[in-house]
Amino acid sequence: MNIVFMGTPEFAVPSLDMLMAEGYHVVGVVTQPDKPQGRKKVLTPTPVKAAAERYGLPVFQPVKLRDPEAVAHLAEWKPDLIVTAAFGQILPKAVLDMPVRGCVNVHGSLLPKYRGGAPIQRSIINGESVTGVTLMYMAEGLDTGDMISRVEVPITDEDTSGTMFVKLSEAGSKLLQAEMPRLIAGQTTAVPQDDEQATYARNLTREDEKLDWSRTSRELFNQIRGLVPFSGAFTMWEEQVFKIWSVTNPDQVKAEYSSSSNDGQAEPGTVLQLNKSGIEIKTGDGSLWLTEVQPAGKKVMHAADFARGGTLKPGTVLR
């Protein structure tokens, strides 16, 4: 049986690895075009392309999969089953109808919650304690297809989007592995989604990275974790972007973190103190300790190291 795999980021690689390890006949891989990375803008292959090349698989990188030329190219592989995981493009009807066993997707949420392009980040930002992976048949709508199986994965306070991408990618690979024999035999049982329970996880924008210090410490903690390690959150200091990469869990702050200056009178965003613990910032309901920061034009550093520089003073208000 001819299988075509579609995916782009590291999240998709374990599923491709599983298909190859289990000896399935992957005839080709579709992934997004290479993109420039880093300050030098070096053209870099996607993680899935890199994995496919290690296996010696043909790779196709269409700018738009819905273009007739792209559909024709895909048809030459004569797929019986298409497996996708975070591919990054909506499959047109011509592709959905192509394989006799259909198109299935490994989606990083418990559908119908968090349909869309940023389910992992949004689940953390929204303070969810549980997320998971759904294996689903693909339909013309955005993540609206019938569900084949799901698995739950807890989100701990130590998790970031980075750690959850790893956990969910591994869970998705195992879920796909368990269902592959039935998918190939055409013996799966799929359940329609309840559209009334659906939520949408839109892609993140620059606005999502801005910190509003009037929010609660827990909300800010979740926001920052949801943006790590991909973009980080930011605030403004002296009209410059000041990035925040790590903060102390507000529910587990030790006694030595407490601040006598935090009397509730300070404006949210005010620097309360700087010491070996980091930088304490007033929030809407208390305070939050910054532990990793990145001033404009500099590398990420421990907040305590930055505090020793003496350029940021108590009483300064971050906007």
Side-chain angles (χ1 to χ4, degrees), residues 120-121 124 159-166 225-230:
I120 299 174
Q121 297 97 319
I124 297 175
D159 280 314
T160 66
S161 283
T163 63
M164 289 308 300
F165 264 77
V166 174
R225 292 189 302 128
L227 296 167
V228 172
F230 305 107

Side-chain angles (χ1 to χ4, degrees), residues 227-249:
L227 296 167
V228 172
F230 305 107
S231 64
F234 75 91
T235 187
M236 301 300 294
W237 172 45
E238 294 183 344
E239 299 183 358
Q240 298 272 350
V241 169
F242 188 68
K243 284 205 158 191
I244 315 298
W245 290 97
S246 178
V247 295
T248 301
N249 185 336

Side-chain angles (χ1 to χ4, degrees), residues 9-242:
E10 197 66 44
F11 175 85
V13 174
S15 291
L16 176 58
D17 287 340
M18 181 278 297
L19 292 173
M20 299 303 295
E22 293 291 311
Y24 291 107
H25 188 220
V26 179
V27 295
V29 170
V30 185
T31 188
Q32 295 278 54
D34 297 351
K35 291 185 178 180
Q37 301 285 340
R39 291 185 178 181
K40 295 184 178 180
K41 303 298 181 183
V42 176
L43 201 62
T44 305
T46 70
V48 165
K49 179 181 179 180
E53 289 179 338
R54 289 197 299 271
Y55 292 120
L57 296 171
V59 177
F60 180 40
Q61 296 177 275
V63 175
K64 292 183 179 180
L65 188 58
R66 63 179 60 256
D67 288 345
E69 296 83 1
V71 174
H73 184 107
L74 188 61
E76 292 177 0
W77 283 341
K78 299 179 180 178
D80 298 300
L81 174 69
I82 292 177
V83 177
T84 75
F87 172 49
Q89 295 188 39
I90 295 176
L91 273 59
K93 189 175 187 301
V95 172
L96 294 173
D97 292 343
M98 193 177 293
V100 65
R101 292 292 185 243
C103 302
V104 298
N105 181 43
V106 179
H107 182 77
S109 81
L110 296 173
L111 291 172
K113 292 187 69 174
Y114 296 108
R115 295 173 177 174
I120 299 174
Q121 297 97 319
R122 294 289 178 191
S123 64
I124 297 175
I125 290 172
N126 291 346
E128 301 284 1
S129 60
V130 174
T131 184
V133 179
T134 303
L135 184 66
M136 55 175 285
Y137 280 111
M138 301 185 74
E140 289 188 78
L142 182 62
D143 299 324
T144 58
D146 294 349
M147 300 179 294
I148 300 166
S149 58
R150 305 194 306 172
V151 61
E152 292 187 355
V153 179
I155 302 175
T156 71
D157 279 351
E158 289 70 41
D159 280 314
T160 66
S161 283
T163 63
M164 289 308 300
F165 264 77
V166 174
K167 291 180 180 181
L168 293 175
S169 66
E170 293 173 351
S173 172
K174 292 177 181 178
L175 195 64
L176 178 63
Q177 180 181 23
E179 292 293 337
M180 278 299 296
R182 286 184 286 274
L183 285 168
I184 289 176
Q187 296 175 347
T188 56
T189 301
V191 178
Q193 296 185 42
D194 182 356
D195 290 339
E196 292 186 359
Q197 300 297 318
T199 60
Y200 179 59
R202 60 179 175 81
N203 289 328
L204 297 172
T205 67
R206 186 68 166 169
E207 285 296 314
D208 294 303
E209 300 170 15
K210 293 181 180 179
L211 293 172
D212 177 358
W213 296 107
S214 67
R215 302 180 74 199
T216 68
S217 297
R218 168 57 65 168
E219 289 171 335
L220 292 164
F221 175 67
N222 291 338
Q223 180 184 0
I224 293 164
R225 292 189 302 128
L227 296 167
V228 172
F230 305 107
S231 64
F234 75 91
T235 187
M236 301 300 294
W237 172 45
E238 294 183 344
E239 299 183 358
Q240 298 272 350
V241 169
F242 188 68

